[in-house]
Amino acid sequence: MKKIGILFGMEDTFPYAFIERVNAKNEKGIIAEAVTIDKVVQNKGGEYAVIIDRISQDVPFYRAFLKNAALTGTNVINNPFWWSADDKFFNNCLADTLGVPLPNTVILPSAEHPTDTTSKSFRNLKYPMDWEGIFDYIGFPAYMKPYAGGGWKNVYRLENKEEFFEKHRETGQLVMLLQEEIVFQDYYRVYCLGGKAVRIMPYEPRNPHHLRYVVENPNTDKKLMATIKDYTLRLCKGLGYDFNTVEFAVRDGIPYAIDFGNPAPDAEYTSVGAENFEWVVEEAAKMAIAFAKKQKPGKVNLTWGDFIKNAAAEK
């Protein structure tokens, strides 16, 4: 018997719908359940063929558990080693090499010294930085947000450099990105599962959270949709995420990738709506079952992105 587990936190609808859908398919030798943990012993595990991870980004104990599970043969979705190493600035750098359009972006040192460091720790950092060069490259208005994180936390829209310096001081020890504003005509959030199943969802990030998937008269231009799908697959395969969403802001017909490292994207019924929810539940169930069938006990079954695979192949 191969077990598919789902590890989750505050979610109420997706995890249970996922479990029910997998079990309803009555695949011989495969069952799904909520993950339960009573102890974690080094190099012991293998209870699950597949685990869908929805929460370890917020719980370090779970991340350590999943790495151990991966070592003992579990296919963890998404790869906990890559997820631990990833950040939004690197995502942008990689996307640029993949030919995906991006807003101009720079990374900034934290406004306050990290704990247990002093000014001597930053002797390689030029002072003052080339702020005028940065502002000329980015332009205003601009967005400032953490280089790692999500959920629209600590995101600022800045009108000028005076406001930048004021708000940057408020960010403390956070390392921030400064990013060009893309004034968009259309916006899309795109699910990608298993590196092949893609659902393009019109999205309005300026609406209240529960209304962001409610968009009147969305653009359905076939060429634009094909381009968005192509860019989504490039990004998800490059990063190696089997469960991800990618966001695009469309300016003058060009889709700019805004956010594409969302390995535990919102899938709640009340957020995404009935049709999108049904798609995610069905595709996640099919993906997990396929991965469980391919899983080899005692072997590493993780998905690695093309960036890692190509780098390893060159050695």
Side-chain angles (χ1 to χ4, degrees):
M1 180 67 69
K2 286 190 172 184
K3 291 201 293 187
I4 296 170
I6 183 165
L7 186 68
F8 59 98
M10 299 293 289
E11 291 179 291
D12 291 318
T13 56
F14 174 71
Y16 298 106
F18 168 79
I19 292 168
E20 183 179 347
R21 185 64 55 87
V22 172
N23 291 333
K25 291 184 179 296
N26 293 314
E27 292 283 346
K28 185 177 180 180
I30 294 176
I31 62 169
E33 64 180 33
V35 171
T36 57
I37 304 167
D38 61 0
K39 62 180 177 294
V40 182
V41 177
Q42 60 187 7
N43 201 29
K44 301 294 182 183
E47 178 182 1
Y48 294 96
V50 174
I51 292 177
I52 304 287
D53 173 21
R54 304 286 296 163
I55 188 60
S56 76
Q57 73 277 12
D58 295 327
V59 184
F61 169 77
Y62 285 158
R63 183 62 58 84
F65 158 74
L66 290 170
K67 289 178 179 178
N68 189 62
L71 182 66
T72 58
T74 299
N75 187 350
V76 180
I77 303 170
N78 287 289
N79 184 329
F81 297 99
W82 179 244
W83 195 345
S84 298
D86 193 18
D87 65 67
K88 293 182 183 297
F89 186 67
F90 174 77
N91 286 352
N92 271 48
C93 299
L94 181 61
D96 198 35
T97 72
L98 297 173
V100 177
L102 301 158
N104 291 341
T105 306
V106 298
I107 192 168
L108 306 169
S110 56
E112 297 178 4
H113 292 152
T115 304
D116 296 327
T117 67
T118 69
S119 58
K120 289 184 68 175
S121 306
F122 292 87
R123 285 183 287 184
N124 296 97
L125 190 64
K126 189 173 181 179
Y127 184 85
M129 295 187 68
D130 182 11
W131 292 115
E132 290 304 320
I134 290 172
F135 298 149
D136 287 344
Y137 175 64
I138 300 297
F140 286 102
Y143 280 92
M144 184 170 62
K145 57 187 179 183
Y147 91 112
W152 291 83
K153 297 176 183 177
N154 304 110
V155 176
Y156 302 82
R157 184 178 185 274
L158 308 169
E159 294 287 349
N160 50 54
K161 62 183 180 182
E162 290 76 20
E163 189 173 13
F164 164 79
F165 287 118
E166 175 189 347
K167 297 301 183 183
H168 188 238
R169 285 192 292 269
E170 296 177 5
T171 62
Q173 295 186 16
L174 292 174
V175 176
M176 306 294 285
L177 301 181
L178 188 65
Q179 192 167 75
E180 171 193 9
E181 180 183 49
I182 302 295
V183 180
F184 59 87
Q185 290 81 41
D186 301 290
Y187 200 97
Y188 297 90
R189 199 162 206 243
V190 187
Y191 259 103
C192 184
L193 273 69
K196 58 183 180 181
V198 172
R199 184 170 180 83
I200 301 172
M201 304 174 292
Y203 188 76
E204 178 45 81
R206 295 165 294 198
N207 282 350
H209 190 77
H210 67 290
L211 295 175
R212 289 181 180 173
Y213 293 90
V214 180
V215 178
E216 295 182 3
N217 302 316
N219 187 341
T220 56
D221 177 81
K222 290 184 179 180
K223 183 178 179 180
L224 175 63
M225 297 302 107
T227 300
I228 288 175
K229 181 177 181 179
D230 173 45
Y231 289 165
T232 297
L233 292 172
R234 288 192 212 182
L235 291 167
C236 291
K237 289 178 180 178
L239 292 166
Y241 285 137
D242 284 310
F243 202 132
N244 194 25
T245 56
V246 180
E247 295 183 15
F248 292 96
V250 181
R251 181 178 69 187
D252 299 330
I254 299 173
Y256 291 83
I258 301 297
D259 190 13
F260 39 95
N262 298 297
D266 183 9
E268 284 292 272
Y269 183 93
T270 53
S271 297
V272 302
E275 292 184 7
N276 293 328
F277 183 78
E278 167 60 26
W279 185 91
V280 175
V281 170
E282 177 66 15
E283 292 299 330
K286 290 193 297 187
M287 174 182 67
I289 290 169
F291 283 13
K293 290 179 177 180
K294 292 189 297 182
Q295 183 257 1
K296 297 178 181 178
K299 304 292 184 180
V300 175
N301 292 279
L302 300 173
T303 295
W304 295 95
D306 291 345
F307 164 72
I308 294 293
K309 290 188 291 186
N310 293 342
E314 292 174 0
K315 296 296 184 182

